[in-house]
Amino acid sequence: SDVLIKESSSKPEGLKTAIGSLVEKLIENNQYEPDHPADIADAAVLMAADGYGAGKIVGFEGTTEVVIRTSDSQRSFLFTKDPIPSDLVKITTIQFSSVSEERDMRH
């Protein structure tokens, strides 16, 4: 059997979700148990991250659109099709630094 859960919002503030908070707490303590069950969409994303299915989150960090897929460990960002090389270097450096810090990649 398959289950497909899709949430979307046309509101500028996006969806109300606890996924960011849940992930942060799980990173701090992999034995973390929330006080109350996660809503179904958040639970589905967490299960997909554990390898039970696949999940995709599309959102914004400031004005930059960010896509996160549970099927891979990469983070993508969108940029113009014909970039000015120096602008691409700047945004790529920002993205790499962000991932390095988030994943504690001091090496």
Side-chain angles (χ1 to χ4, degrees), residues 14-79:
L15 296 168
K16 184 177 179 182
T17 178
I19 195 69
S21 172
L22 290 168
V23 169
E24 285 176 2
K25 290 176 181 171
L26 285 165
I27 289 170
E28 289 172 12
N29 173 9
N30 64 2
Q31 300 299 314
Y32 170 73
E33 291 288 335
D35 296 333
H36 55 283
D39 72 23
I40 190 146
D42 290 349
V45 170
L46 292 173
M47 288 179 66
D50 278 342
Y52 300 97
K56 175 180 164 184
I57 299 172
V58 179
F60 288 89
E61 284 184 333
T63 58
T64 304
E65 185 176 34
V66 177
V67 178
I68 300 171
R69 291 178 182 84
T70 61
S71 60
D72 55 39
S73 59
Q74 69 186 32
R75 183 164 74 183
S76 303
F77 63 94
L78 302 177
F79 204 70

CSV table of all heavy atoms in Angstrom, one decimal, residues 14-79:
chain,number,residue,atom,x,y,z
A,14,GLY,N,3.4,30.6,4.8
A,14,GLY,CA,3.6,29.2,4.6
A,14,GLY,C,2.8,28.3,5.6
A,14,GLY,O,1.8,28.8,6.1
A,15,LEU,N,3.2,27.1,5.8
A,15,LEU,CA,2.5,26.1,6.6
A,15,LEU,C,2.9,26.2,8.0
A,15,LEU,O,4.0,26.6,8.3
A,15,LEU,CB,2.7,24.7,6.1
A,15,LEU,CG,2.3,24.4,4.7
A,15,LEU,CD1,2.9,23.0,4.3
A,15,LEU,CD2,0.7,24.3,4.7
A,16,LYS,N,2.0,25.9,8.9
A,16,LYS,CA,2.3,25.8,10.3
A,16,LYS,C,2.9,24.4,10.5
A,16,LYS,O,2.2,23.4,10.3
A,16,LYS,CB,1.1,26.0,11.2
A,16,LYS,CG,1.4,26.0,12.7
A,16,LYS,CD,0.2,26.4,13.5
A,16,LYS,CE,0.6,26.3,15.0
A,16,LYS,NZ,-0.6,26.6,15.8
A,17,THR,N,4.1,24.3,10.9
A,17,THR,CA,4.8,23.0,11.1
A,17,THR,C,5.7,23.0,12.3
A,17,THR,O,6.3,24.1,12.6
A,17,THR,CB,5.5,22.6,9.8
A,17,THR,OG1,6.1,21.3,10.0
A,17,THR,CG2,6.5,23.6,9.4
A,18,ALA,N,5.9,21.9,12.9
A,18,ALA,CA,6.9,21.8,14.0
A,18,ALA,C,8.2,21.0,13.5
A,18,ALA,O,9.0,20.7,14.3
A,18,ALA,CB,6.3,21.1,15.1
A,19,ILE,N,8.3,20.7,12.2
A,19,ILE,CA,9.3,19.9,11.7
A,19,ILE,C,10.7,20.4,12.1
A,19,ILE,O,11.6,19.7,12.5
A,19,ILE,CB,9.2,19.6,10.2
A,19,ILE,CG1,10.1,18.4,9.8
A,19,ILE,CG2,9.5,20.8,9.4
A,19,ILE,CD1,9.7,17.1,10.3
A,20,GLY,N,10.9,21.7,11.9
A,20,GLY,CA,12.2,22.3,12.2
A,20,GLY,C,12.6,22.1,13.7
A,20,GLY,O,13.7,21.7,14.0
A,21,SER,N,11.7,22.4,14.6
A,21,SER,CA,11.9,22.2,16.0
A,21,SER,C,12.2,20.7,16.4
A,21,SER,O,13.1,20.4,17.1
A,21,SER,CB,10.7,22.7,16.8
A,21,SER,OG,10.8,22.4,18.2
A,22,LEU,N,11.4,19.8,15.8
A,22,LEU,CA,11.5,18.4,16.0
A,22,LEU,C,12.9,17.9,15.6
A,22,LEU,O,13.6,17.2,16.3
A,22,LEU,CB,10.5,17.6,15.3
A,22,LEU,CG,9.0,17.7,15.9
A,22,LEU,CD1,8.0,17.1,14.9
A,22,LEU,CD2,9.0,17.1,17.2
A,23,VAL,N,13.3,18.3,14.4
A,23,VAL,CA,14.6,17.9,13.9
A,23,VAL,C,15.8,18.5,14.7
A,23,VAL,O,16.7,17.7,15.0
A,23,VAL,CB,14.8,18.4,12.4
A,23,VAL,CG1,16.2,18.2,11.9
A,23,VAL,CG2,13.8,17.6,11.5
A,24,GLU,N,15.7,19.7,15.1
A,24,GLU,CA,16.7,20.3,16.0
A,24,GLU,C,16.8,19.5,17.3
A,24,GLU,O,17.9,19.2,17.8
A,24,GLU,CB,16.4,21.8,16.3
A,24,GLU,CG,16.6,22.7,15.2
A,24,GLU,CD,16.2,24.1,15.5
A,24,GLU,OE1,15.8,24.4,16.6
A,24,GLU,OE2,16.4,25.0,14.6
A,25,LYS,N,15.7,19.2,17.9
A,25,LYS,CA,15.7,18.4,19.2
A,25,LYS,C,16.3,17.0,19.0
A,25,LYS,O,17.0,16.5,19.8
A,25,LYS,CB,14.3,18.4,19.8
A,25,LYS,CG,14.0,19.8,20.3
A,25,LYS,CD,12.6,19.8,20.9
A,25,LYS,CE,12.2,21.2,21.3
A,25,LYS,NZ,10.9,21.4,21.7
A,26,LEU,N,16.0,16.4,17.8
A,26,LEU,CA,16.5,15.1,17.5
A,26,LEU,C,18.0,15.1,17.3
A,26,LEU,O,18.7,14.2,17.6
A,26,LEU,CB,15.8,14.5,16.3
A,26,LEU,CG,14.4,13.9,16.6
A,26,LEU,CD1,13.6,13.7,15.3
A,26,LEU,CD2,14.4,12.7,17.5
A,27,ILE,N,18.5,16.2,16.7
A,27,ILE,CA,19.9,16.3,16.4
A,27,ILE,C,20.6,16.5,17.8
A,27,ILE,O,21.7,15.9,18.0
A,27,ILE,CB,20.2,17.5,15.5
A,27,ILE,CG1,19.8,17.2,14.1
A,27,ILE,CG2,21.7,17.9,15.6
A,27,ILE,CD1,19.8,18.4,13.1
A,28,GLU,N,20.0,17.2,18.7
A,28,GLU,CA,20.6,17.4,20.0
A,28,GLU,C,20.6,16.1,20.8
A,28,GLU,O,21.6,15.8,21.6
A,28,GLU,CB,19.9,18.5,20.8
A,28,GLU,CG,20.1,19.9,20.3
A,28,GLU,CD,19.1,20.9,21.0
A,28,GLU,OE1,18.5,20.5,22.0
A,28,GLU,OE2,19.0,22.0,20.5
A,29,ASN,N,19.6,15.3,20.7
A,29,ASN,CA,19.4,14.1,21.4
A,29,ASN,C,18.6,13.1,20.6
A,29,ASN,O,17.4,13.2,20.4
A,29,ASN,CB,18.6,14.4,22.7
A,29,ASN,CG,18.3,13.2,23.5
A,29,ASN,OD1,18.7,12.1,23.2
A,29,ASN,ND2,17.4,13.3,24.5
A,30,ASN,N,19.3,12.1,20.1
A,30,ASN,CA,18.7,11.1,19.2
A,30,ASN,C,17.7,10.2,19.9
A,30,ASN,O,17.0,9.5,19.2
A,30,ASN,CB,19.7,10.3,18.4
A,30,ASN,CG,20.6,9.4,19.3
A,30,ASN,OD1,20.4,9.4,20.5
A,30,ASN,ND2,21.5,8.7,18.7
A,31,GLN,N,17.6,10.4,21.2
A,31,GLN,CA,16.5,9.6,22.0
A,31,GLN,C,15.3,10.5,22.3
A,31,GLN,O,14.5,10.1,23.1
A,31,GLN,CB,17.1,9.1,23.3
A,31,GLN,CG,18.3,8.1,23.0
A,31,GLN,CD,17.9,6.9,22.2
A,31,GLN,OE1,16.9,6.3,22.5
A,31,GLN,NE2,18.7,6.6,21.2
A,32,TYR,N,15.3,11.7,21.8
A,32,TYR,CA,14.2,12.7,22.1
A,32,TYR,C,12.9,12.1,21.8
A,32,TYR,O,12.6,11.5,20.7
A,32,TYR,CB,14.5,14.0,21.3
A,32,TYR,CG,13.3,14.9,21.4
A,32,TYR,CD1,13.0,15.7,22.5
A,32,TYR,CD2,12.4,15.1,20.3
A,32,TYR,CE1,11.9,16.5,22.6
A,32,TYR,CE2,11.4,16.0,20.4
A,32,TYR,CZ,11.1,16.7,21.5
A,32,TYR,OH,10.0,17.5,21.6
A,33,GLU,N,11.9,12.3,22.7
A,33,GLU,CA,10.5,11.9,22.5
A,33,GLU,C,9.7,13.2,22.8
A,33,GLU,O,9.7,13.7,23.9
A,33,GLU,CB,10.1,10.8,23.5
A,33,GLU,CG,10.8,9.5,23.2
A,33,GLU,CD,10.2,8.8,22.0
A,33,GLU,OE1,9.1,9.1,21.6
A,33,GLU,OE2,10.9,8.0,21.4
A,34,PRO,N,8.9,13.6,21.8
A,34,PRO,CA,8.1,14.8,22.0
A,34,PRO,C,7.0,14.6,23.0
A,34,PRO,O,6.6,13.4,23.3
A,34,PRO,CB,7.5,15.1,20.6
A,34,PRO,CG,7.7,13.9,19.8
A,34,PRO,CD,8.8,13.1,20.5
A,35,ASP,N,6.5,15.7,23.6
A,35,ASP,CA,5.5,15.6,24.6
A,35,ASP,C,4.2,15.1,24.1
A,35,ASP,O,3.4,14.5,24.7
A,35,ASP,CB,5.3,16.9,25.3
A,35,ASP,CG,6.5,17.4,26.1
A,35,ASP,OD1,7.3,16.5,26.5
A,35,ASP,OD2,6.7,18.6,26.2
A,36,HIS,N,3.9,15.4,22.8
A,36,HIS,CA,2.7,15.0,22.1
A,36,HIS,C,3.1,14.6,20.7
A,36,HIS,O,4.1,15.0,20.1
A,36,HIS,CB,1.6,16.1,22.1
A,36,HIS,CG,2.1,17.4,21.5
A,36,HIS,ND1,2.9,18.3,22.2
A,36,HIS,CD2,1.9,17.9,20.3
A,36,HIS,CE1,3.2,19.3,21.4
A,36,HIS,NE2,2.6,19.1,20.3
A,37,PRO,N,2.3,13.7,20.1
A,37,PRO,CA,2.6,13.2,18.8
A,37,PRO,C,2.7,14.3,17.7
A,37,PRO,O,2.0,15.3,17.8
A,37,PRO,CB,1.5,12.2,18.4
A,37,PRO,CG,0.8,11.9,19.7
A,37,PRO,CD,1.1,13.1,20.6
A,38,ALA,N,3.6,14.1,16.8
A,38,ALA,CA,3.8,15.1,15.7
A,38,ALA,C,2.5,14.9,14.8
A,38,ALA,O,1.9,13.9,14.7
A,38,ALA,CB,5.0,14.8,14.9
A,39,ASP,N,2.2,16.0,14.1
A,39,ASP,CA,1.0,15.9,13.2
A,39,ASP,C,1.4,15.0,12.0
A,39,ASP,O,2.6,14.7,11.9
A,39,ASP,CB,0.5,17.3,12.7
A,39,ASP,CG,1.5,18.0,11.7
A,39,ASP,OD1,2.3,17.3,11.1
A,39,ASP,OD2,1.4,19.2,11.6
A,40,ILE,N,0.5,14.6,11.3
A,40,ILE,CA,0.7,13.5,10.3
A,40,ILE,C,1.8,13.8,9.3
A,40,ILE,O,2.6,13.0,8.9
A,40,ILE,CB,-0.6,13.0,9.7
A,40,ILE,CG1,-0.3,11.7,8.9
A,40,ILE,CG2,-1.2,14.1,8.8
A,40,ILE,CD1,-1.4,10.8,8.8
A,41,ALA,N,1.8,15.1,8.8
A,41,ALA,CA,2.7,15.5,7.8
A,41,ALA,C,4.1,15.5,8.3
A,41,ALA,O,5.1,15.0,7.7
A,41,ALA,CB,2.4,16.8,7.2
A,42,ASP,N,4.3,16.1,9.5
A,42,ASP,CA,5.6,16.1,10.2
A,42,ASP,C,6.1,14.7,10.5
A,42,ASP,O,7.3,14.3,10.3
A,42,ASP,CB,5.6,16.9,11.5
A,42,ASP,CG,5.4,18.4,11.3
A,42,ASP,OD1,5.5,18.8,10.1
A,42,ASP,OD2,5.1,19.1,12.2
A,43,ALA,N,5.2,13.8,10.9
A,43,ALA,CA,5.6,12.4,11.2
A,43,ALA,C,6.0,11.7,9.9
A,43,ALA,O,6.9,10.9,9.9
A,43,ALA,CB,4.4,11.7,11.9
A,44,ALA,N,5.3,12.0,8.8
A,44,ALA,CA,5.6,11.4,7.6
A,44,ALA,C,7.0,11.8,7.1
A,44,ALA,O,7.8,11.0,6.6
A,44,ALA,CB,4.6,11.7,6.5
A,45,VAL,N,7.4,13.1,7.3
A,45,VAL,CA,8.7,13.5,6.9
A,45,VAL,C,9.8,12.9,7.8
A,45,VAL,O,10.8,12.4,7.3
A,45,VAL,CB,8.8,15.1,7.0
A,45,VAL,CG1,10.3,15.5,6.8
A,45,VAL,CG2,7.9,15.7,5.9
A,46,LEU,N,9.5,12.8,9.1
A,46,LEU,CA,10.5,12.1,10.0
A,46,LEU,C,10.7,10.6,9.6
A,46,LEU,O,11.8,10.1,9.6
A,46,LEU,CB,10.1,12.3,11.4
A,46,LEU,CG,10.1,13.7,12.0
A,46,LEU,CD1,9.5,13.7,13.4
A,46,LEU,CD2,11.5,14.2,12.0
A,47,MET,N,9.6,10.0,9.3
A,47,MET,CA,9.7,8.6,8.9
A,47,MET,C,10.5,8.4,7.6
A,47,MET,O,11.3,7.5,7.4
A,47,MET,CB,8.3,8.0,8.7
A,47,MET,CG,7.6,7.7,10.0
A,47,MET,SD,5.9,7.0,9.8
A,47,MET,CE,6.3,5.4,9.2
A,48,ALA,N,10.2,9.3,6.6
A,48,ALA,CA,10.9,9.3,5.4
A,48,ALA,C,12.4,9.5,5.6
A,48,ALA,O,13.3,8.9,5.0
A,48,ALA,CB,10.4,10.4,4.4
A,49,ALA,N,12.8,10.4,6.5
A,49,ALA,CA,14.2,10.7,6.9
A,49,ALA,C,14.8,9.4,7.4
A,49,ALA,O,16.0,9.2,7.3
A,49,ALA,CB,14.3,11.8,7.8
A,50,ASP,N,14.0,8.6,8.1
A,50,ASP,CA,14.5,7.3,8.7
A,50,ASP,C,14.6,6.2,7.6
A,50,ASP,O,14.9,5.1,7.9
A,50,ASP,CB,13.7,6.9,9.8
A,50,ASP,CG,14.0,7.6,11.1
A,50,ASP,OD1,15.1,8.1,11.2
A,50,ASP,OD2,13.2,7.5,12.0
A,51,GLY,N,14.2,6.5,6.4
A,51,GLY,CA,14.2,5.5,5.3
A,51,GLY,C,12.9,4.8,5.0
A,51,GLY,O,12.9,4.0,4.1
A,52,TYR,N,11.9,5.2,5.6
A,52,TYR,CA,10.5,4.7,5.3
A,52,TYR,C,9.8,5.6,4.3
A,52,TYR,O,9.0,6.4,4.7
A,52,TYR,CB,9.7,4.5,6.6
A,52,TYR,CG,10.4,3.6,7.6
A,52,TYR,CD1,11.1,4.2,8.7
A,52,TYR,CD2,10.2,2.2,7.5
A,52,TYR,CE1,11.7,3.3,9.6
A,52,TYR,CE2,10.9,1.4,8.4
A,52,TYR,CZ,11.6,2.0,9.5
A,52,TYR,OH,12.2,1.1,10.4
A,53,GLY,N,10.1,5.4,3.1
A,53,GLY,CA,9.5,6.2,2.0
A,53,GLY,C,10.4,7.4,1.7
A,53,GLY,O,11.6,7.4,1.9
A,54,ALA,N,9.8,8.4,1.1
A,54,ALA,CA,10.6,9.6,0.6
A,54,ALA,C,9.8,10.8,0.9
A,54,ALA,O,8.5,10.8,0.9
A,54,ALA,CB,10.8,9.5,-0.9
A,55,GLY,N,10.5,11.9,1.2
A,55,GLY,CA,9.9,13.1,1.5
A,55,GLY,C,10.6,14.3,0.9
A,55,GLY,O,11.8,14.2,0.5
A,56,LYS,N,9.9,15.4,0.7
A,56,LYS,CA,10.4,16.6,0.1
A,56,LYS,C,9.8,17.8,0.8
A,56,LYS,O,8.6,17.8,1.0
A,56,LYS,CB,10.1,16.6,-1.4
A,56,LYS,CG,10.6,17.8,-2.1
A,56,LYS,CD,10.2,17.7,-3.6
A,56,LYS,CE,10.3,19.0,-4.3
A,56,LYS,NZ,9.8,18.9,-5.7
A,57,ILE,N,10.7,18.7,1.1
A,57,ILE,CA,10.2,20.0,1.7
A,57,ILE,C,10.7,21.1,0.8
A,57,ILE,O,11.9,21.1,0.5
A,57,ILE,CB,10.7,20.1,3.1
A,57,ILE,CG1,10.2,19.0,4.0
A,57,ILE,CG2,10.3,21.5,3.7
A,57,ILE,CD1,10.9,19.0,5.4
A,58,VAL,N,9.8,22.0,0.5
A,58,VAL,CA,10.2,23.2,-0.3
A,58,VAL,C,9.8,24.4,0.6
A,58,VAL,O,8.7,24.5,1.0
A,58,VAL,CB,9.5,23.3,-1.6
A,58,VAL,CG1,9.9,24.5,-2.4
A,58,VAL,CG2,9.8,22.0,-2.5
A,59,GLY,N,10.8,25.3,0.8
A,59,GLY,CA,10.5,26.4,1.6
A,59,GLY,C,11.5,27.5,1.3
A,59,GLY,O,12.2,27.5,0.4
A,60,PHE,N,11.5,28.5,2.2
A,60,PHE,CA,12.4,29.7,2.0
A,60,PHE,C,13.2,29.9,3.3
A,60,PHE,O,12.7,29.8,4.4
A,60,PHE,CB,11.6,30.9,1.7
A,60,PHE,CG,11.0,30.9,0.4
A,60,PHE,CD1,9.7,30.4,0.1
A,60,PHE,CD2,11.7,31.5,-0.7
A,60,PHE,CE1,9.2,30.4,-1.1
A,60,PHE,CE2,11.1,31.5,-2.0
A,60,PHE,CZ,9.9,30.9,-2.2
A,61,GLU,N,14.5,30.2,3.1
A,61,GLU,CA,15.3,30.8,4.1
A,61,GLU,C,15.5,32.2,3.7
A,61,GLU,O,16.3,32.5,2.8
A,61,GLU,CB,16.7,30.0,4.2
A,61,GLU,CG,16.6,28.7,4.9
A,61,GLU,CD,17.9,28.0,5.0
A,61,GLU,OE1,18.8,28.3,4.2
A,61,GLU,OE2,18.0,27.2,5.9
A,62,GLY,N,14.8,33.1,4.3
A,62,GLY,CA,14.8,34.5,3.9
A,62,GLY,C,14.1,34.6,2.6
A,62,GLY,O,13.0,34.2,2.4
A,63,THR,N,14.8,35.0,1.5
A,63,THR,CA,14.2,35.1,0.2
A,63,THR,C,14.7,34.0,-0.7
A,63,THR,O,14.3,33.9,-1.9
A,63,THR,CB,14.6,36.5,-0.5
A,63,THR,OG1,16.0,36.6,-0.5
A,63,THR,CG2,13.9,37.6,0.3
A,64,THR,N,15.5,33.1,-0.2
A,64,THR,CA,16.1,32.0,-1.0
A,64,THR,C,15.3,30.8,-0.9
A,64,THR,O,15.0,30.3,0.2
A,64,THR,CB,17.5,31.7,-0.6
A,64,THR,OG1,18.3,32.9,-0.6
A,64,THR,CG2,18.2,30.6,-1.4
A,65,GLU,N,14.8,30.2,-2.0
A,65,GLU,CA,14.0,29.0,-2.0
A,65,GLU,C,15.0,27.8,-1.7
A,65,GLU,O,16.0,27.7,-2.4
A,65,GLU,CB,13.3,28.8,-3.3
A,65,GLU,CG,12.4,27.5,-3.3
A,65,GLU,CD,11.6,27.3,-4.5
A,65,GLU,OE1,12.1,27.7,-5.6
A,65,GLU,OE2,10.5,26.9,-4.4
A,66,VAL,N,14.6,26.9,-0.8
A,66,VAL,CA,15.4,25.8,-0.5
A,66,VAL,C,14.6,24.5,-0.6
A,66,VAL,O,13.4,24.5,-0.3
A,66,VAL,CB,15.9,25.9,1.0
A,66,VAL,CG1,16.7,24.7,1.4
A,66,VAL,CG2,16.7,27.2,1.2
A,67,VAL,N,15.2,23.5,-1.2
A,67,VAL,CA,14.5,22.2,-1.4
A,67,VAL,C,15.3,21.2,-0.7
A,67,VAL,O,16.5,21.0,-0.9
A,67,VAL,CB,14.4,21.8,-2.9
A,67,VAL,CG1,13.8,20.5,-3.1
A,67,VAL,CG2,13.7,22.9,-3.7
A,68,ILE,N,14.6,20.4,0.2
A,68,ILE,CA,15.3,19.3,1.0
A,68,ILE,C,14.5,18.1,0.6
A,68,ILE,O,13.3,18.0,0.8
A,68,ILE,CB,15.2,19.6,2.5
A,68,ILE,CG1,16.0,20.9,2.8
A,68,ILE,CG2,15.9,18.4,3.2
A,68,ILE,CD1,15.8,21.4,4.2
A,69,ARG,N,15.3,17.1,0.2
A,69,ARG,CA,14.7,15.7,-0.1
A,69,ARG,C,15.3,14.7,0.9
A,69,ARG,O,16.5,14.7,1.1
A,69,ARG,CB,15.0,15.3,-1.5
A,69,ARG,CG,14.4,16.2,-2.6
A,69,ARG,CD,14.8,15.7,-4.0
A,69,ARG,NE,14.2,16.5,-5.0
A,69,ARG,CZ,14.7,17.7,-5.4
A,69,ARG,NH1,15.8,18.2,-4.9
A,69,ARG,NH2,14.1,18.4,-6.3
A,70,THR,N,14.5,13.9,1.4
A,70,THR,CA,15.0,12.8,2.3
A,70,THR,C,15.7,11.7,1.6
A,70,THR,O,16.4,11.0,2.2
A,70,THR,CB,13.8,12.2,3.2
A,70,THR,OG1,12.9,11.6,2.3
A,70,THR,CG2,13.1,13.3,4.0
A,71,SER,N,15.5,11.7,0.3
A,71,SER,CA,16.1,10.6,-0.5
A,71,SER,C,17.6,10.8,-0.8
A,71,SER,O,18.3,10.0,-1.2
A,71,SER,CB,15.4,10.4,-1.8
A,71,SER,OG,15.5,11.7,-2.6
A,72,ASP,N,18.1,12.0,-0.4
A,72,ASP,CA,19.5,12.3,-0.6
A,72,ASP,C,20.0,13.2,0.5
A,72,ASP,O,19.2,13.8,1.2
A,72,ASP,CB,19.8,12.9,-2.0
A,72,ASP,CG,19.0,14.1,-2.3
A,72,ASP,OD1,18.8,15.0,-1.4
A,72,ASP,OD2,18.6,14.3,-3.5
A,73,SER,N,21.2,13.3,0.6
A,73,SER,CA,21.8,14.2,1.7
A,73,SER,C,22.3,15.5,1.2
A,73,SER,O,23.0,16.2,1.8
A,73,SER,CB,22.9,13.4,2.4
A,73,SER,OG,23.9,13.1,1.5
A,74,GLN,N,21.9,15.8,0.0
A,74,GLN,CA,22.3,17.1,-0.6
A,74,GLN,C,21.2,18.2,-0.4
A,74,GLN,O,20.0,17.9,-0.3
A,74,GLN,CB,22.6,17.0,-2.1
A,74,GLN,CG,21.4,16.7,-3.0
A,74,GLN,CD,21.8,16.5,-4.4
A,74,GLN,OE1,22.8,15.9,-4.7
A,74,GLN,NE2,20.9,16.8,-5.3
A,75,ARG,N,21.6,19.4,-0.4
A,75,ARG,CA,20.7,20.5,-0.3
A,75,ARG,C,20.9,21.3,-1.6
A,75,ARG,O,22.0,21.6,-2.0
A,75,ARG,CB,20.9,21.4,0.9
A,75,ARG,CG,19.9,22.5,1.0
A,75,ARG,CD,19.8,23.1,2.3
A,75,ARG,NE,21.0,24.0,2.5
A,75,ARG,CZ,21.2,24.6,3.6
A,75,ARG,NH1,20.4,24.5,4.6
A,75,ARG,NH2,22.3,25.4,3.7
A,76,SER,N,19.8,21.6,-2.3
A,76,SER,CA,19.8,22.3,-3.6
A,76,SER,C,19.4,23.7,-3.4
A,76,SER,O,18.7,24.0,-2.4
A,76,SER,CB,18.9,21.6,-4.6
A,76,SER,OG,19.3,20.3,-4.7
A,77,PHE,N,19.8,24.6,-4.3
A,77,PHE,CA,19.3,25.9,-4.3
A,77,PHE,C,19.1,26.3,-5.8
A,77,PHE,O,19.8,25.8,-6.7
A,77,PHE,CB,20.2,26.9,-3.6
A,77,PHE,CG,21.6,27.0,-4.2
A,77,PHE,CD1,21.9,28.0,-5.1
A,77,PHE,CD2,22.6,26.2,-3.8
A,77,PHE,CE1,23.1,28.2,-5.6
A,77,PHE,CE2,23.9,26.3,-4.3
A,77,PHE,CZ,24.2,27.3,-5.2
A,78,LEU,N,18.2,27.2,-6.0
A,78,LEU,CA,17.9,27.6,-7.4
A,78,LEU,C,18.6,28.9,-7.6
A,78,LEU,O,18.9,29.7,-6.8
A,78,LEU,CB,16.4,27.9,-7.5
A,78,LEU,CG,15.5,26.6,-7.2
A,78,LEU,CD1,14.0,27.0,-7.3
A,78,LEU,CD2,15.8,25.5,-8.2
A,79,PHE,N,19.1,29.0,-8.9
A,79,PHE,CA,19.8,30.2,-9.3
A,79,PHE,C,19.5,30.4,-10.8
A,79,PHE,O,19.0,29.6,-11.5
A,79,PHE,CB,21.3,30.0,-9.1
A,79,PHE,CG,22.1,31.3,-8.9
A,79,PHE,CD1,21.9,32.0,-7.8
A,79,PHE,CD2,23.0,31.7,-9.9
A,79,PHE,CE1,22.7,33.2,-7.7
A,79,PHE,CE2,23.7,32.8,-9.8
A,79,PHE,CZ,23.5,33.6,-8.6
